[in-house]
Amino acid sequence: MRNGRARLSLALPLHQEQLRSVKSRELDRLFESYAVAAMKIEDLRKDPAREAFIPWYESLCLDIASASC
């Protein structure tokens, strides 16, 4: 969850303070989901045969980011 909160804070610099201060189970799950998707993108970039999946995970990250604002 911390990883996701930190990653999302970097992706949304204008909302860093809000993301750091808010406490909610729903947002904790959102942060965790963001971290999983972001780490999956990193893994996919290491394997050229699986790069086709990257846009889907990037879209997921964008959707999560927009939902958290």
Side-chain angles (χ1 to χ4, degrees), residues 4-59:
R5 186 186 300 258
R7 285 175 182 265
L8 201 50
S9 291
L10 289 173
L12 301 169
L14 297 176
H15 300 282
Q16 283 181 351
E17 288 303 316
Q18 288 175 306
L19 291 170
R20 288 184 191 151
S21 64
V22 69
K23 306 291 183 214
S24 139
R25 286 186 181 188
E26 291 81 19
L27 281 176
D28 288 348
R29 286 191 286 268
L30 195 68
F31 296 146
E32 186 175 342
S33 297
Y34 187 87
V36 169
M39 289 186 291
K40 186 65 174 178
I41 291 169
E42 292 170 3
D43 289 341
L44 291 170
R45 286 192 174 131
K46 295 175 189 174
D47 184 358
R50 296 171 56 205
E51 284 184 339
F53 296 103
I54 292 174
W56 188 85
Y57 283 97
E58 287 175 334
S59 176

